[in-house]
Structures are given as C-alpha cells and as structure tokens.
Amino acid sequence: MNKHNKELAINGGIPVSKEPILIHLPFLEQDDFDAVTEAIKTTFVSGDGPACRRFEKELANYLGVKHALFVNSATSALELAFRVKNFPKGSEVLMPNFTYTSSALGALYNDLKIVLVDVYADNGSINIEKMEAAITDKTVAIVAVDYGGIPADMDAINAIAQKHNFYVVHDTAQSVGSNYKGQKTGCQGDVSTFSFHGTKNLTTGEGGALVTNNDQIAERVKILREKGTDKHSFLTDNKTRGYYEYVDIGMSYVQSDILGALGISQLKKLDNLNERRRQIAETYKRELAGIEGLDFMRITEGSEHNWHLFGILVPAEDKYWIMDALRAEGIMSNVHYTPLHRNKYYNHLGSDEKFPDSMSFFNRLLRIPIYPSLTDKDVQNIIFAVKKVFNA
Ligand SMILES: Cc1ncc(COP(=O)(O)O)c(C=O)c1O
C-alpha cells in the first residue's frame, strides 16, 4: 500500500475534498416538503389514514404484490412476520450471520431460536449449501437478506424451503427497487420486509412495510399493527358502526398519515433515484476496475441491484488504514456492521472458525458513498481519492 506517500492527507498532504463527502444522505426536495405540508393541512395526522392507504396501494402496484402494509420500521415488520405464524417456542430459524440485528429480532421476539449460517465471502449473501446443512427437525423458517440491496438467490432458497415446507421471510430492508429474475424484490418470499429509514433508497424518515401475497397474513397484520383492534375495517368499511373491537393482542405500529404522504412522493421518484445510483456505480466500476487488491461485490446472477450500498473489498490487513486514509482525504467510508456472532448479544452462537467466509467478507468490506445527490464532481473526487490511497 501507499502508506508512506507524502502527499496523502493522512500523512499531512492536501485532502482531495475540502468539504467531507458524507457516506449517505436522504434525497428530499420541494415536492416531499409540499407533500408533508399538505398532509398536515388535512388535519388527518394520525395512523392508517387516506395517504397511508394510497401509499400502500401504490407500493403494492410498484412491487407487483397483493398487499403492502405500512408500519413504523422493518424491525416491526420482521416481528409481525413471525407473530402471524405462531410457531412452537424454540423452533429454529435459519439466517445469514452477516446481517443487521433486526433480521434476528423478529424471530427472537417470538421465542424462536436463531441459527446463524455462513455467507458468501464475495457478497455477504447466505451460503445455500451451508444453509441446507444447518437444517434440523426443528427448523421452520428461513430469513433471506438482500445485503446492500443485492438480491439473495431466492430461487435456490425457495427450492429448499418448498422441499421442507419452510416459511420464507425475505428481509428486503435494503433492496427496494432491486430486481430478481425480472421481478421486483418483495414477491419472492412468503413475506417481505422493507425499511424506509432515513438511509434507505426510499425514505419516510423511519418506517417500513410488510409485503405479502397471502390474504390471511395481511388481514392479521392489519389487526396486530393497530393494537389488536379491528380499527382498519372500521375506518375503511362503508357500513357505519360507531365503535371498533379489540379482537387480538397487538402492538402500535401504524404510521402517521404525514409519513404516508412522504412515502407517496418518494415512491414517485424512486426509479429515477435508483437510476442515478446506477450511473454512479457504473462510473465507480469503470474507473476503479483493475486496481490491485480492490474487488467489487458479486451481484447475484439474474438480478439487478438498486445500489443501496457500494461496497469495495480491500486487503484485510490494510482495511482500517484505507478507511482512515480516505476519511483524511475528505471521503467518508465505513464498515457498516459486524457479523452477528461478533456481537455481545450473539457471541454464544459461534466463533470466527465457524463462519470463515463471513469473517473474510467482513474483514475486507468497506463502503464508499453512493446516493443520488452526489454530484459528478463528488464522484470524481471519490474515485481520485481511492486511486490516490491505492497508489493506482
Ligand atoms: C438487513 C436489515 N434488516 C432490517 C433492518 C431494520 O430496518 P428498520 O431501521 O426500518 O427497522 C435494517 C436496517 O438497516 C437492515 O439493514
């Protein structure tokens, strides 16, 4: 590496960018501000109002699914995804070891046992063979995760699930707008769970959606997310009824109509925003190709990435130095998250030796900025800084 190059900012040289280029920024503009203002003016600011229902309908159409249910986070959607199933306590759920804690929380909240599976070293996606090897007579479900927005190999996962009659929860938190074999992510699993957190390609600040083609699951979720009441049908049925009933035990996961309005305006431009991300990714790939020691993440065959994240795989021994050197150049980069077994709460579930490819992926992964509001100049500065640091 170029650790001793005098000109590097980390060694006292002039940074490539005087203003730090942040790792991510939400894309919010005048029509989003107007949508929120108009929503407030209607005074229907509480949950499950007309804007939320319109957003759900438009999202379902966009994704090509029957039901999209807007909730306050993907974490809540994951909890609901398991709550609707009533699996026996202690049943096992397979999931990738390299994921965000929420992928596991949905099962854990429902007293299920999570079984971590190693991932592919070149993209962090669940290793299909190792997943099959981890099946026991207690396995009931699989959580498939689209890390960084790259679709997991859902055909392979579904084939195993069908053979064993497993439930498939597709954690699509990061992949809104990605495609898998010609269809948007969101229709491949029994249930899919999207996030609209401020860092995501479509944002409502905080928020998420549970998406499914299953009518029974959708009906139950409408009740569970609204404190176990049948308020949704009370609000939407034409028959006048002066009250609604408490029909189940539930949580309060409905979203304000203000956020529903923001979802509508964000969804309108999602494809354009993802196209800008794609152009930036193509530029990175073209300009950074061939740098020794730098690889790109593998995109699952037959899929199209929404470029939620742009990860580069760098030499493990230099990763933190590269991160610091890029930051000194004014380019924010980070490592995202650590494999679950590396965290205090999950470290009883395995050791580094059990997850060699998760460790390899984690040890090599660095994220560089990718978001629609990056200017061409920013993109050129990022490329220049990476080349400078790699002495390429
Ligand atoms: C893979 C994955 N699942 C779930 C979540 C949780 O999303 P939320 O913040 O909407 O609960 C995240 C958040 O980034 C995530 O990356």
Side-chain angles (χ1 to χ4, degrees):
M1 298 295 316
N2 192 18
K3 290 178 184 171
H4 306 295
N5 183 336
K6 282 199 299 294
E7 289 166 7
L8 286 175
I10 196 170
N11 293 334
I14 300 167
V16 172
S17 176
K18 266 197 247 131
E19 289 297 319
I21 301 179
L22 302 179
I23 188 81
H24 51 68
L25 267 181
F27 193 89
L28 294 163
E29 53 185 349
Q30 194 58 47
D31 62 331
D32 301 301
F33 310 145
D34 292 344
V36 168
T37 308
E38 289 310 310
I40 294 170
K41 282 189 189 159
T42 68
T43 74
F44 195 129
V45 291
S46 48
D48 195 14
C52 284
R53 277 178 245 133
R54 193 177 134 204
F55 174 48
E56 290 179 334
K57 213 165 157 206
E58 292 179 4
L59 181 64
N61 284 342
Y62 175 83
L63 298 171
V65 289
K66 262 173 109 174
H67 308 280
L69 299 161
F70 191 29
V71 290
N72 59 355
S73 67
T75 307
S76 300
L78 283 152
E79 181 189 351
L80 290 165
F82 284 100
R83 186 62 65 98
V84 294
K85 290 305 283 187
N86 301 321
F87 287 122
K89 196 174 168 171
S91 301
E92 292 178 0
V93 181
L94 306 175
M95 64 186 63
N97 177 37
F98 193 84
T99 188
Y100 191 58
T101 188
S102 301
S103 310
L105 292 177
L108 290 172
Y109 282 138
N110 286 284
D111 292 327
L112 306 175
K113 187 176 163 210
I114 59 164
V115 176
L116 302 180
V117 177
D118 207 4
V119 299
Y120 294 119
D122 56 2
N123 70 3
S125 202
I126 194 162
N127 181 311
I128 306 290
E129 280 172 22
K130 292 185 184 178
M131 182 182 89
E132 201 161 15
I135 293 171
T136 72
D137 55 4
K138 289 205 172 134
T139 311
V140 292
I142 298 168
V143 177
V145 180
D146 295 345
Y147 178 69
I150 298 177
D153 192 352
M154 293 308 291
D155 277 358
I157 290 168
N158 282 336
I160 293 169
Q162 268 156 24
K163 192 161 126 198
H164 299 274
N165 199 22
F166 294 157
Y167 180 59
V168 176
V169 175
H170 191 183
D171 180 343
T172 48
Q174 302 182 22
S175 71
V176 68
S178 294
N179 275 277
Y180 179 77
K181 307 209 171 155
Q183 289 181 304
K184 291 271 178 333
T185 57
C187 55
Q188 293 79 15
D190 291 302
V191 162
S192 299
T193 54
F194 287 94
S195 172
F196 306 132
H197 176 258
T199 53
K200 300 301 189 293
N201 295 27
L202 181 164
T203 186
T204 58
E206 297 282 352
L210 182 147
V211 162
T212 184
N213 282 321
N214 182 309
D215 298 338
Q216 284 85 32
I217 290 179
E219 286 317 304
R220 183 103 196 280
V221 167
K222 284 178 195 163
I223 288 169
L224 292 176
R225 72 174 173 176
E226 186 57 290
K227 288 80 94 178
T229 73
D230 62 359
K231 188 170 173 186
H232 180 80
S233 53
F234 165 79
L235 289 172
T236 52
D237 276 0
N238 290 329
K239 291 175 258 121
T240 7
R241 187 165 46 121
Y243 61 90
Y244 49 90
E245 281 189 66
Y246 316 142
V247 293
D248 203 338
I249 182 168
M251 294 74 80
S252 186
Y253 291 162
V254 281
Q255 286 282 73
S256 160
D257 232 38
I258 303 170
L259 298 182
L262 184 53
I264 295 167
S265 69
Q266 285 272 297
L267 183 59
K268 268 191 206 132
K269 57 186 144 209
L270 177 63
D271 282 344
N272 286 342
L273 297 184
N274 283 351
E275 173 56 22
R276 172 66 185 148
R277 286 174 181 270
R278 194 189 64 76
Q279 284 166 4
I280 296 169
E282 290 305 325
T283 310
Y284 286 158
K285 283 174 114 178
R286 193 177 57 243
E287 300 284 331
L288 301 177
I291 295 183
E292 207 187 317
L294 186 153
D295 294 312
F296 303 118
M297 283 168 59
R298 176 176 57 84
I299 300 175
T300 307
E301 217 183 303
S303 70
E304 273 174 45
H305 195 347
N306 69 351
W307 297 105
H308 172 54
L309 302 182
F310 195 92
I312 51 175
L313 301 173
V314 304
E317 61 280 13
D318 292 319
K319 165 168 145 159
Y320 290 99
W321 178 82
I322 295 170
M323 189 180 82
D324 290 343
L326 284 173
R327 287 184 176 183
E329 300 295 345
I331 312 303
M332 297 306 111
S333 68
N334 70 16
V335 297
H336 213 192
Y337 34 72
T338 55
L340 287 181
H341 81 276
R342 275 292 186 104
N343 292 271
K344 188 171 158 195
Y345 185 74
Y346 297 105
N347 65 16
H348 60 287
L349 294 174
S351 57
D352 289 358
E353 292 69 43
K354 191 172 167 198
F355 305 110
D357 293 337
S358 298
M359 286 311 297
S360 164
F361 182 64
F362 166 61
N363 286 333
R364 294 191 62 205
L365 179 67
L366 256 194
R367 292 168 54 197
I368 58 174
I370 188 163
Y371 43 90
S373 57
L374 282 178
T375 62
D376 290 346
K377 175 101 181 85
D378 292 333
V379 173
Q380 285 312 319
N381 277 341
I382 293 164
I383 290 165
F384 188 81
V386 173
K387 286 184 170 171
K388 188 178 170 191
V389 167
F390 273 82
N391 203 13

